[in-house]
Amino acid sequence: MWPIVNRWELEADPFAELQRLHQQVSRAFDGGRYVPGDFPALNVWGNADEVRVAAELAGVDPEKIELTVSGNTLTLEGERAPDPVGEDDAVYRRERADGRFQRTVRLPYEVDNEKIAARYTNGVLHIDLPRSETTKPRKIQIEG
Amino acid sequence: MTVEKKELQKTEQQAVEGDARRVERQPVYLPATDIYERKDEFVVVADMPGVAEKDVDLHLDNDTLTITGRTDTAAPEGFDTIHREFVSGRYERTFTLSEDVNRDGIKANMKHGVLRIVLPKSEKTRPRKIAVQTE
């Protein structure tokens, strides 16, 4: 049914879900506004040549997402517009937060700003950040 | 995406999965939801990031409307996990519909990971303008 790798991931990190729950609870107590640093939820993967970041940004206009890379710091910011509710509408539940958000990620190495690619699919922003050539480890020939 | 069609798909899916669903080890998320009432309809908006339209299910059983969706966020091949805040899982939430929802008119769409369901009120409960006649 599910790829084995997912189960392994879950068992390896039982705190991820707790952390998420905590975030949801603190968000609820904050009256539906974003707490700086907790939105969007992020996953970061990497290897020697590239870092990949996924951010949960449901319902955000991709045009309103701003990505900035400075050194080895990636900053993601933007705004989520509230759902348009008319004056005569009765609101029964309002759990979806809106407003400005900003999140900063420290990358394991400097990346090549020219090669960064981002795509927004099903409310998740995927960012591919290839490592900058100049910071790649190199074998240095020793002249004898 | 009509509810009837989805219902049919759900039934088929249940038949296929059977007991497998019970041993599911993935987390179940409660999607953050807004609910409001307009003059002619109810609107339910649920955040389900990572869920494609084809992976959403709406199931209507009498007064109970259940929404489910699956999201998959496995590490890309050849990459190690550096930081993780969300994992693959299932969104699920159940709503109880009031009498005045026109079951046949329910419509849903999915955009940017947000499920939006519009539930029209049945004709008889809609506010109507009644003309007052003078004698």
Side-chain angles (χ1 to χ4, degrees), chain B residues 32-85:
Chain B
T33 304
D34 289 352
I35 302 173
Y36 46 93
E37 181 181 349
R38 288 186 188 143
K39 197 169 66 141
D40 299 333
E41 63 200 18
F42 295 93
V43 182
V44 175
V45 187
D47 280 346
M48 299 166 95
V51 180
E53 186 174 345
K54 65 173 175 58
D55 296 325
V56 180
D57 258 317
L58 270 86
H59 183 69
L60 185 61
D61 183 6
N62 291 320
D63 289 344
T64 309
L65 176 71
T66 305
I67 57 171
T68 49
R70 281 151 198 263
T71 164
D72 187 9
T73 176
E77 183 97 31
F79 283 76
D80 297 323
T81 300
I82 297 173
H83 180 79
R84 184 176 40 238
E85 292 171 359

Side-chain angles (χ1 to χ4, degrees), chain A residues 1-3 5-7 9-13 16-17 19-20 23-24 38 40-47 50-52 54-62 80 83-85 88-97 103 108 120-124, chain B residues 17 20 23-39 42-43 45-53 70-91 93 95 111-114 116:
Chain A
M1 291 264 63
W2 299 104
V5 65
N6 288 335
R7 292 187 183 181
E9 276 178 6
L10 265 185
E11 278 158 18
D13 192 356
E17 182 55 16
Q19 191 187 358
R20 189 182 163 106
Q23 285 173 353
Q24 282 175 350
D38 86 336
L42 296 176
N43 280 351
V44 184
W45 301 283
N47 60 28
E50 193 175 324
V51 180
R52 289 198 186 165
E56 279 193 334
L57 283 162
V60 178
D61 179 357
R80 186 157 103 147
D83 220 55
V85 174
D88 297 332
D89 296 350
V91 177
Y92 298 123
R93 244 169 223 283
R94 198 150 180 83
E95 299 167 354
R96 304 170 62 242
R103 213 147 169 206
Y120 185 68
T121 336
N122 300 326
V124 178
Chain B
E17 289 178 13
V23 295
E24 185 174 49
R25 308 250 344 243
Q26 299 219 329
V28 177
Y29 299 122
L30 197 68
T33 304
D34 289 352
I35 302 173
Y36 46 93
E37 181 181 349
R38 288 186 188 143
K39 197 169 66 141
F42 295 93
V43 182
V45 187
D47 280 346
M48 299 166 95
V51 180
E53 186 174 345
R70 281 151 198 263
T71 164
D72 187 9
T73 176
E77 183 97 31
F79 283 76
D80 297 323
T81 300
I82 297 173
H83 180 79
R84 184 176 40 238
E85 292 171 359
F86 59 98
V87 296
S88 303
R90 189 160 57 91
Y91 292 93
R93 194 145 179 182
F95 305 93
K111 191 191 172 192
H112 292 167
V114 178
R116 182 177 298 268

